[in-house]
Amino acid sequence: MDRVKINVNGADFEVDAGQNVLSACRSIGVEIPFFCYHERLKVAGSCRMCLVSVGTPARDRKTGEVVKNEDGSVKIAWLPKPSIACGTNVSEGMHVVTDSDAIRQCRGSILEFLLLNHPLDCPICDKAGECKLQEYANAYGNGVSRYCESKNVKPKRREVAGKIILDSERCILCSRCVRFCEEVIGRPIFGFTKRGSKTEISVYPGGDNDSNYLLNAVDICPVGALTEKAFRFQMRAWFLRTARSISPESSAGVNTTVWTREGRIYRVTPRDNEFVNDSWMSDSGRYFHIGRGARLSGARLDSSACDLPYAIDRCVEILRLSNFAIVASAFQTVEEMFLLKALAKAAGAPVYMVSHLGEDDGFLVSADKTPNLRGAFVTGLISEYPPDNLSALAEKIDSGEIKTVLCFDEDLKSLGLGSAHFKKANVIFCSSVENSSAVGAKVCVPLEGEMEKGGIWINRQFRMQRFEAVVERPKWAASAVEFLSQLLCRIGGADFETPDVGLLRSVIAERVPQLKGCADIPDCGTLIDASAFAGVKFPEKAAFKFDPASVGANGG
Amino acid sequence: MAIVVERKRLNFFERLYLPQIVSGLIITLKNLFRPKVTLSYPDQRPTLPDGYRGGPTLVKDSQGRQKCVSCQLCEFVCPSKAIRVTPGSIDPDGEYFYIEKAPKEFQINMLRCIFCGMCEEVCPEKAIVLQDEFTFAAQSREEMIFDKQRLYEAGGTLPDKIMKWKRVKDNADLERDSH
Amino acid sequence: MGVEVFMTNILLNSLALAAAGVPGGAAAAPGAVSTPACDWVELLLRVLFSLVAIIVVMSFAGLSVVAERKVCAYIQGRYGPNRTAIPWVLAVPVLGKFLQRAGLMQLVADGLKFLFKEDPLPAHVNKVWYVAAPVISLAPVLVVACVIPFGVYWSNGAAMPLSVANIDVGLLFALAVGALGVYGTIMAAWSSNSKFPYIGGMRACAQVISYELTMALAVLPVVMFVARDAESPLNLFEIGRAQSASAWFCLAQPLGALLFLIALFVETNRLPFDIAESETDLVSGFHTEYGSFKFGLFYVGEYGHMVVGSALFITLFLGAWNPLPWLAWPEEWGAVAAVLSVLTFLVKIAAMLFFFIWIRWTLPRFRYDQAMNLGWRALLPLGVANLVFYMLWLGF
C-alpha cells in the first residue's frame, strides 16, 4: 500500500495513503473526537466534532512547483477555516493541527450546540458511562451553557420494532443509525423528520421496521437516543466486565463481547473483526445464551443424583466393559474434539455426528447452526458431512454391535433413537443442558456451558478463532477438557500429557498440520489450510465476507 | 548534634517530693467537686453538628416524590461495597412515568457502611443523605441490611428548592401529532 | 463470696485463735467469761466474733471497690457506675434510686459476674499452687482481722478490747501474717508459668522485702513509747489505749507515721507501688493468667489488705478508737461509749480507704528502680534515724 508523509501537530509521520485524516491520526495515536464517523459506514460529516486545521504544501499557480519559505522549508498553505478530519483524505506533505486554541474553541462550541437541547438526564440514561457525548463534554466541553430559554421537547420512550427504545431528545442527529440501516441492512428504517432545531429521528410509519440486525444501531449510537429494550435499566455499563467470546449461534463465528457482572450475563455486543463480521452481529445471536433449556445441574447415576467423581468412575467402568460409540457435538471446542479423537482411536470407537441445519440469511447467520463443525473435520473426528439423524447408530445398537454410547450434548431421542435403544445400550450423557437424552441415560455428567469455557472454534471460512470463558464454571460442573483427559488416561491411549489447555494446544499444533498456529491465535483469527476438505459439500451459502467457492480452492 | 537541655537543680523541698504530692492531691480533690462532663447518653442525646454523617437514608422531595432514580453511582463509589441497587423502571401509568427509572430494590448493608458520605456527595439527585441516626442494632446480620422501604422511612422528606424533574412543558400534545 | 472460701476463712480464724492461745499463755480473755478455752459457750462466742470481723472486713472491702470506681470517676469528671439496679430494690421509693445512683448495686453485679463466669484452668500452669494462690492471698487478711481491736468497752471498771483475739504479740502477729499475703502473689506468679506474671511476682517479692524493714523500724518507736507504761507493748489494744487522752502517735512521731504509711502502700500493692501488677508493661502482672472467681479473690484480697492495713495504721498512729487527740470517749457513757468507739474506728477506716483511693488516682506509678531506690536509700536510713532519735530521746 502506498504511504504518504504527513505532519501532525508539528511531528512528521508516515501513514497509509487513501485514508482520511481521522483514521490516519488514530493510527499514529493522536485522538480526534468524533460522533458521526464510523469506520464501517460512509462518511456523513454531520457532527462537526472532528474539526482540525489542515494545510497542504503551497504550489506556484503557474509553474506548479512547491513554494519555499526564506529559510528553505516548504511553505504550507493553510485552509482558512478548520476542516472535518473524517471528510478530508491525507495527501503527501499535509500538515494537520489537532490541538490549537482555535480547534479547542471549535470543539467547545460544537458541544455547547449539541447540549443546547440535550435533556442532561444521565442519571436515568443507560448510555451513561459509555456515552461519547458524556466523555467529550467532560474532556472538551465548556462546562457551562449560555442557553437560558426552554429546551425543545421531542418524543421520548418510543418503541422501535419491539426491541429498541428511541429517545429523540437525547439524539445528536449524527445519522449513524440511518446510514447503518441503508448501507448494512439495505433498507431505510430510521430517518430525519422536521427541520432546524426541531429535527428529530423517526422510524418510517407503518411497514415492517424489524430486522434481525437492528440492534447494531443501538451499539453504534454514540448517545443514549437508541437503547436496547432488553438491557434497559438492567445494569450500569461501568459495573460490567467484558470477555471476548464468539457467538455460538451459527458457523459464521461472529466475534462478540460478553458483558457480565458477578457471573450474570447482561448483554452481548459485536466485537470488531474485519475478516468475519466487521462491527455487526445478529439480534438472535445476542440472546442465544438465554432459553437453551434447563441446566444439567449435578451428576446422576440411573436418574438419581450422585457425586461427580463417582459418576466419572462409573463412566470409565462402563466404557471399559464393551465396545462403545461416540456421539460428538459441533458445540465442542477443537481441544475437546482432539481429545475425543484420541479416545476414539485408543478404544476403536466409531464417531457419529449430526448436522443441525436451518435458515441461511446470507449475512451473519449461516445455515449450519453449530459453531464448530469444521473443527470436527480438521481434528479428524469425521470425514464427510454428517446426516441429520443417528439411524446408523440405531442400527448398530439393534444389531448388538454397540453396547455403550458416549454422547455429548445431542438430544438422542429426537435423532432416531428410541427408548428401546436406551435399554439395549448404556448411554453416558455429558452436557451442560438437560434434554431427553438425560432422562434414560445410565450416567449423566454435567459439563460447563459455552460461556463457561474457553477454546477454539473454526468457522465457515475455516478461520480458527479463540474465545475465553465469560463466567466462572459452577463447582458442580466438570470441565470438558479435564473430563476427557481423565477418560483418556484411564482407558488408555494417552501418549501425551494434558494437564492444562495451553500445553494441550501445543500438542494439537504439533500433531494436526492444519492447526499449527493454534497455540497463539491473533484476535482476528487465523485462516487455516482447508484444501483437504474441498470435496466436502457444505450447506452454507455465499454471505458477508464468505465465498463458499473460494474455501478450499485457495487453500486457506 | 545533640541538644543538651539544662535542667534546673531541684532544691531540697522539691526533692522531698512530698509537697508535689500534696499539691497533686489538692488538684484531684478539687476535681471531685467540679461539674461532671459525662453525657448520660440514652437519657440525654448529644447535639449533633450540621453535616453530621450518620446512617445513609433515602429521601423524598417536598412533593413527596421518591428522589432516587437508581443511577447506581452510589453503588459504584461506595468504598466498602455496602450499597446494592437493583434498577427498575417506573410504572408507565403512574404519576411520575416520565422519570422512567427508579430502584426496584435498594439495599444498604449497615454492617459494611463506614459512613464516609461519598454516596451523598456523588448522588446527582440528592436522594441519598446521611442523617442523624447513629445507633444501629439488630438481632441478626440480615436485619442490618436496610431495604428501600426502610431507607425511605428513615429518610423522610428533605425540603429543598431544586425541582429537577418538575415538568415545564407537557409533551402529550407532541405525542399526538407524531407517529 | 463463695461458701467454701467463707468456711475456709472461719477455719483459719479458729486456727489463729488456737495459735493465739498457746504462746505466752497470756491472752486476755475476750468478754466477761474467764473460764478455760474448752468452754463451748466461749468457743461459740469466738466463732460469732470472728464471723462479725469477717463480715466487717469483707463488706468494707466490697464497699471500697465501689468507692474506688466512684471516686476515680468523680476525680476524672465522670459519674461512675450509676445504672445497675436490682428491679425490686429499685422499686423501693427513695432508697432504691439512691442505691442505683451510688452504684452500690454494681457491687452485686460484679460479684455475680465473677461467680458465674467460666473458670478456665490454663493447661500450662502448676495446678495445685495456681488454685491455692488466690486463697493464700486473701486468707491472711482475714486472719489479721481477728487481732485488730475495733473498739473498747468497760467491764467492772476495766477496759476490754472489742476484738476476736486480744493477744500479747498482736502487733508482731499482724505484721507477720499480713506479710504472708505476698506469698499468694509470688505463688500465683510462679505457678502461672508465663513471663508477665513471673516478672510481676519477682517485683512484688523484692518490693515487700525492701519495705518490710522500714515498716518494722517505723513501728519500733511506737512500741518503745507504749512500753513506758504498759506491760505488753506489742498488744494492739495496749497501743490503742496508750493514745487515749494523750497525743496520737502520728503527732508524736510524724516521720514514723509517714514511713509506715508509705510501707503500707507497698504492702498492699497500691499505686504508686503497684509495680507487681503494672498493667501498662506487664499486662496484668501476677494475676495475668487468672480469671473469673479466682481473679475475684485477688481483687477482694487487695481491698481486704487495704482495710486491715488501714486498721493497723489507725491503731498504731491515728489514735485507734479515740475520736480526737487528747480526747477519749468517757467511760461513764458505758455501752454508748463502746458503740461510739467502734463507730469511730470504722469511720477512720473509711477515711483511710478514701485516702488510699485518692492517692491512687493522683500519683503515677514508680518505676521499679525508683521504688527500690526509695526503699533502700531513703526510707530505710530514715527509719533507722527515726529509731535512733526516739531511742536517744527516751534514753535521756
Side-chain angles (χ1 to χ4, degrees):
Chain A
M1 190 172 268
D2 289 342
R3 306 276 281 176
V4 290
K5 286 198 175 72
I6 61 167
N7 180 298
V8 180
N9 296 333
D12 289 318
F13 296 98
E14 200 180 72
V15 297
D16 287 342
Q19 58 181 338
N20 57 29
V21 172
L22 202 153
S23 54
C25 283
R26 272 182 121 186
S27 72
I28 56 172
V30 175
E31 270 307 312
I32 297 174
F34 61 89
F35 289 112
C36 69
Y37 174 73
H38 192 279
E39 58 179 344
R40 306 283 176 217
L41 299 174
K42 283 180 190 158
V43 171
S46 61
C47 73
R48 320 307 289 180
M49 192 63 198
C50 59
L51 286 173
V52 289
S53 299
V54 174
T56 45
R59 283 174 194 280
D60 192 283
R61 280 280 165 88
K62 286 172 195 146
T63 59
E65 275 182 17
V66 176
V67 181
K68 302 243 172 164
N69 288 328
E70 282 170 8
D71 61 352
S73 59
V74 177
K75 187 179 180 188
I76 300 298
W78 292 97
L79 292 177
K81 289 185 176 177
S83 324
I84 47 171
C86 66
T88 311
N89 276 5
V90 289
S91 61
E92 183 66 36
M94 179 180 269
H95 277 56
V96 180
V97 174
T98 66
D99 62 352
S100 66
D101 284 343
I103 296 301
R104 271 192 287 272
Q105 207 187 336
C106 281
R107 289 171 184 165
S109 307
I110 295 288
L111 280 169
E112 195 176 349
F113 271 127
L114 288 176
L115 290 169
L116 277 190
N117 284 308
H118 191 84
L120 297 176
D121 55 352
C122 300
I124 61 161
C125 178
D126 268 335
K127 199 75 179 181
E130 50 181 9
C131 172
K132 283 202 150 177
L133 188 59
Q134 214 178 26
E135 285 163 22
Y136 291 157
N138 184 40
Y140 307 109
N142 294 338
V144 290
S145 175
R146 288 170 283 176
Y147 189 67
C148 51
E149 289 80 17
S150 300
K151 294 196 175 201
N152 275 347
V153 175
K154 291 180 184 176
K156 292 172 81 77
R157 296 176 293 286
R158 172 147 308 159
E159 233 174 72
V160 179
K163 51 191 175 190
I164 292 179
I165 303 288
L166 167 63
D167 188 320
S168 290
E169 283 185 358
R170 292 178 191 152
C171 181
I172 57 165
L173 307 172
C174 71
S175 81
R176 268 185 181 188
C177 52
V178 179
R179 281 176 285 152
F180 167 77
C181 291
E182 278 169 8
E183 293 168 24
V184 180
I185 296 181
R187 62 199 162 94
I189 292 173
F190 294 102
F192 292 123
T193 53
K194 303 192 181 169
R195 295 169 69 181
S197 67
K198 299 265 191 315
T199 310
E200 63 188 48
I201 203 94
S202 312
V203 288
Y204 281 81
D208 177 20
N209 288 325
D210 199 5
S211 157
N212 195 28
Y213 293 89
L214 197 60
L215 286 176
N216 291 306
V218 173
D219 295 327
I220 58 172
C221 181
V223 294
L226 297 174
T227 49
E228 190 180 340
K229 197 178 169 191
F231 180 63
R232 189 172 151 90
F233 303 157
Q234 292 303 301
M235 193 48 65
R236 287 309 208 171
W238 54 74
F239 285 121
L240 300 176
R241 272 171 44 178
T242 58
R244 289 164 344 166
S245 186
I246 296 173
S247 171
E249 188 192 13
S250 74
S251 61
V254 172
N255 290 211
T256 58
T257 303
V258 183
W259 304 69
T260 61
R261 186 188 185 195
E262 291 168 1
R264 190 181 150 191
I265 297 170
Y266 281 90
R267 66 172 173 182
V268 180
T269 55
R271 181 159 52 95
D272 194 272
N273 185 340
E274 59 174 325
F275 302 107
V276 180
N277 59 313
D278 274 358
S279 299
W280 325 122
M281 79 177 289
S282 63
D283 296 356
S284 48
R286 291 171 197 254
Y287 304 112
F288 192 75
H289 60 278
I290 300 170
R292 292 205 55 202
R295 191 71 191 259
L296 182 62
S297 57
R300 291 207 296 258
L301 186 64
D302 288 328
S303 304
S304 52
C306 69
D307 285 346
L308 182 61
Y310 182 75
I312 296 176
D313 287 347
R314 294 290 84 73
C315 284
V316 174
E317 263 172 35
I318 293 166
L319 291 178
R320 275 180 185 155
L321 270 179
S322 53
N323 292 342
F324 65 90
I326 296 169
V327 177
S329 151
F331 280 90
Q332 288 177 293
T333 61
V334 166
E335 292 90 335
E336 290 164 40
M337 285 171 167
F338 176 78
L339 289 170
L340 210 51
K341 175 65 189 169
L343 183 66
K345 212 165 121 192
V351 178
Y352 296 90
M353 284 191 85
V354 185
S355 64
H356 295 271
L357 298 181
E359 242 353 75
D360 193 328
D361 70 354
F363 191 45
L364 287 171
V365 181
S366 68
D368 187 347
K369 299 301 178 195
T370 56
N372 196 26
L373 192 68
R374 303 293 196 285
F377 281 98
V378 174
T379 50
L381 268 187
I382 50 173
S383 53
E384 52 194 53
Y385 204 81
D388 62 354
N389 60 57
L390 288 170
S391 49
L393 176 63
E395 276 168 30
K396 287 270 178 71
I397 296 173
D398 285 333
S399 69
E401 209 175 309
I402 300 292
K403 289 277 200 294
T404 305
V405 178
L406 178 61
C407 170
F408 291 87
D409 298 335
E410 298 294 359
D411 188 358
L412 292 176
K413 280 182 185 164
S414 69
L415 295 171
L417 268 70
S419 308
H421 297 108
F422 273 75
K423 275 187 195 130
K424 276 189 106 170
N426 288 323
V427 175
I428 297 169
F429 180 62
C430 317
S431 175
S432 61
V433 291
E434 190 98 43
N435 60 30
S436 71
S437 302
V439 178
K442 181 83 179 161
V443 187
C444 289
V445 179
L447 296 180
E448 72 222 321
E450 288 91 40
M451 292 294 184
E452 287 155 13
K453 64 184 173 189
I456 299 167
W457 277 339
I458 299 175
N459 79 348
R460 60 184 173 185
Q461 305 162 311
F462 277 95
R463 178 180 292 276
M464 64 174 168
Q465 304 189 99
R466 192 162 42 89
F467 62 100
E468 53 194 29
V470 170
V471 291
E472 214 170 287
R473 164 163 56 99
K475 293 231 161 38
W476 40 263
S479 149
V481 167
E482 275 169 29
F483 169 63
L484 283 168
S485 315
Q486 217 174 336
L487 287 190
L488 193 57
C489 290
R490 290 168 69 176
I491 286 172
D495 55 345
F496 52 86
E497 279 185 63
T498 53
D500 72 277
V501 176
L503 224 77
L504 180 60
R505 281 186 194 144
S506 55
V507 172
I508 297 172
E510 263 171 45
R511 302 197 176 192
V512 184
Q514 290 101 327
L515 300 174
K516 204 183 256 168
C518 75
D520 187 24
I521 302 174
D523 280 349
C524 58
T526 313
L527 220 48
I528 62 175
D529 176 13
S531 50
F533 315 108
V536 182
K537 209 169 151 36
F538 289 109
E540 285 96 339
K541 289 194 298 187
F544 191 62
K545 309 213 180 222
F546 172 64
D547 175 15
S550 71
V551 173
N554 63 8
Chain B
M1 205 190 87
I3 300 167
V4 180
V5 179
E6 284 289 327
R7 290 200 186 277
K8 203 186 95 186
R9 226 185 115 72
L10 302 177
N11 64 27
F12 178 71
F13 273 102
E14 282 164 341
R15 278 192 294 154
L16 210 54
Y17 192 48
L18 288 174
Q20 275 67 37
I21 291 179
V22 173
S23 66
L25 287 172
I26 290 168
I27 288 172
T28 44
L29 191 66
K30 276 185 192 159
N31 260 3
L32 266 178
F33 303 104
R34 289 236 175 91
K36 304 291 164 266
V37 294
T38 305
L39 183 81
S40 300
Y41 163 61
D43 308 331
Q44 293 168 287
R45 304 281 297 187
T47 46
L48 300 174
D50 284 344
Y52 180 82
R53 299 201 305 254
T57 58
L58 291 175
V59 298
K60 298 174 182 146
D61 70 4
S62 50
Q63 294 173 346
R65 183 184 70 84
Q66 301 191 341
K67 291 175 99 173
C68 178
V69 297
S70 66
C71 72
Q72 294 183 284
L73 276 174
C74 48
E75 184 180 359
F76 182 67
V77 81
C78 181
S80 58
K81 295 193 189 303
I83 302 177
R84 159 93 13 168
V85 184
T86 313
S89 42
I90 286 181
D91 175 18
D93 305 321
E95 187 187 353
Y96 296 108
F97 73 94
Y98 58 92
I99 300 172
E100 299 182 29
K101 202 177 172 190
K104 194 189 286 168
E105 189 43 82
F106 196 115
Q107 290 179 329
I108 301 183
N109 188 339
M110 292 300 175
L111 293 168
R112 298 195 70 115
C113 179
I114 57 168
F115 309 102
C116 62
M118 283 169 88
C119 49
E120 180 176 350
E121 198 170 320
V122 82
C123 185
E125 302 287 331
K126 291 203 187 306
I128 187 164
V129 177
L130 269 65
Q131 297 198 30
D132 290 350
E133 185 58 41
F134 54 84
T135 48
F136 297 100
Q139 300 284 327
S140 66
R141 285 169 183 276
E142 287 70 33
E143 282 173 64
M144 290 297 280
I145 302 174
F146 286 17
D147 62 1
K148 187 172 89 169
Q149 192 200 351
R150 194 159 169 198
L151 289 167
Y152 269 120
E153 275 167 18
T157 299
L158 193 78
D160 58 4
K161 293 187 180 70
I162 304 166
M163 286 284 135
K164 184 172 169 183
W165 289 102
K166 198 176 174 200
R167 303 194 86 184
V168 183
K169 273 189 208 170
D170 202 328
N171 59 3
D173 49 358
L174 192 109
E175 305 264 336
R176 222 177 296 125
D177 63 22
S178 307
H179 2 271
Chain C
M1 296 303 114
V3 173
E4 78 276 22
V5 179
F6 203 67
M7 295 305 291
T8 317
N9 290 324
I10 292 173
L11 270 175
L12 281 169
N13 269 319
S14 312
L15 270 177
L17 291 172
V22 179
V33 191
S34 56
T35 42
C38 59
D39 191 286
W40 273 104
V41 179
E42 192 192 356
L43 194 63
L44 263 177
L45 263 177
R46 287 188 178 208
V47 169
L48 202 70
F49 255 77
S50 59
L51 268 179
V52 170
I54 287 171
I55 289 168
V56 168
V57 172
M58 289 309 239
S59 49
F60 259 96
L63 287 173
S64 59
V65 172
V66 176
E68 176 100 297
R69 295 179 69 169
K70 270 306 211 196
V71 170
C72 142
Y74 269 67
I75 285 176
Q76 294 169 349
R78 302 182 283 114
Y79 290 113
N82 64 353
R83 295 299 167 118
T84 321
I86 304 167
W88 59 83
V89 176
L90 190 63
V92 178
V94 181
L95 184 71
K97 204 76 187 163
F98 169 75
L99 288 179
Q100 188 195 24
R101 289 286 156 202
L104 282 170
M105 286 184 270
Q106 183 72 35
L107 181 63
V108 183
D110 286 351
L112 286 177
K113 189 189 78 173
F114 281 139
L115 206 53
F116 288 120
K117 258 189 165 178
E118 191 190 348
D119 193 0
L121 194 64
H124 54 77
V125 300
N126 184 326
K127 307 230 168 11
V128 176
W129 300 121
Y130 179 82
V131 174
V135 180
I136 289 174
S137 97
L138 176 64
V141 173
L142 302 173
V143 174
V144 172
C146 69
V147 296
I148 305 282
F150 285 91
V152 65
Y153 73 97
W154 288 267
S155 166
N156 303 330
M160 287 291 182
L162 274 166
S163 73
V164 182
N166 179 28
I167 55 177
D168 276 353
V169 289
L171 180 59
L172 276 186
F173 181 84
L175 288 179
V177 176
L180 278 179
V182 79
Y183 280 77
T185 305
I186 294 165
M187 210 178 267
W190 192 273
S191 67
S192 287
N193 190 14
S194 150
K195 21 181 165 346
F196 292 126
Y198 177 76
I199 297 170
M202 290 302 102
R203 288 184 183 181
C205 190
Q207 192 178 248
V208 167
I209 289 171
S210 314
Y211 285 83
E212 200 85 347
L213 281 171
T214 313
M215 191 180 241
L217 287 174
V219 166
L220 274 180
V222 173
V223 178
M224 281 162 25
F225 266 47
V226 178
R228 283 182 306 186
D229 43 22
E231 270 182 28
S232 46
L234 289 174
N235 186 317
L236 287 170
F237 181 60
E238 291 298 331
I239 296 172
R241 276 185 68 189
Q243 294 176 80
S244 53
S246 70
W248 293 356
F249 287 132
C250 66
L251 300 173
Q253 307 175 9
L255 185 61
L258 183 67
L259 292 178
F260 189 86
L261 189 61
I262 294 172
L264 199 58
F265 272 92
V266 176
E267 285 285 299
T268 53
N269 261 329
R270 290 287 295 185
L271 221 103
F273 292 100
D274 71 337
I275 56 175
E277 193 174 324
S278 188
E279 71 282 346
T280 43
D281 53 333
L282 293 186
V283 186
S284 190
F286 64 94
H287 56 61
T288 302
E289 302 286 340
Y290 283 87
S292 85
F293 198 67
K294 294 203 195 72
F295 169 74
L297 287 185
F298 276 123
Y299 200 60
V300 173
E302 184 189 330
Y303 287 95
H305 253 102
M306 279 162 61
V307 175
V308 171
S310 308
L312 211 54
F313 182 71
I314 290 161
T315 311
L316 285 172
F317 291 101
L318 282 187
W321 54 83
N322 300 304
L324 285 170
W326 294 285
L327 192 71
W329 295 112
E331 190 186 332
E332 306 83 65
W333 291 7
V336 177
V339 170
L340 283 175
S341 70
V342 172
L343 283 179
T344 312
F345 199 83
L346 295 185
V347 167
K348 282 182 180 177
I349 288 182
M352 276 301 292
L353 288 175
F354 174 76
F355 182 70
F356 267 102
I357 295 165
W358 185 16
I359 286 281
R360 175 171 176 185
W361 298 104
T362 305
L363 298 187
R365 178 182 301 122
F366 280 118
R367 219 165 49 216
Y368 178 60
D369 63 314
Q370 290 171 332
M372 288 292 107
N373 258 334
L374 185 68
W376 289 105
R377 293 175 56 186
L379 298 190
L380 190 60
L382 276 175
V384 173
N386 186 46
L387 178 63
V388 169
F389 173 76
Y390 286 108
M391 277 167 74
L392 293 176
W393 188 19
L394 289 178
F396 296 100

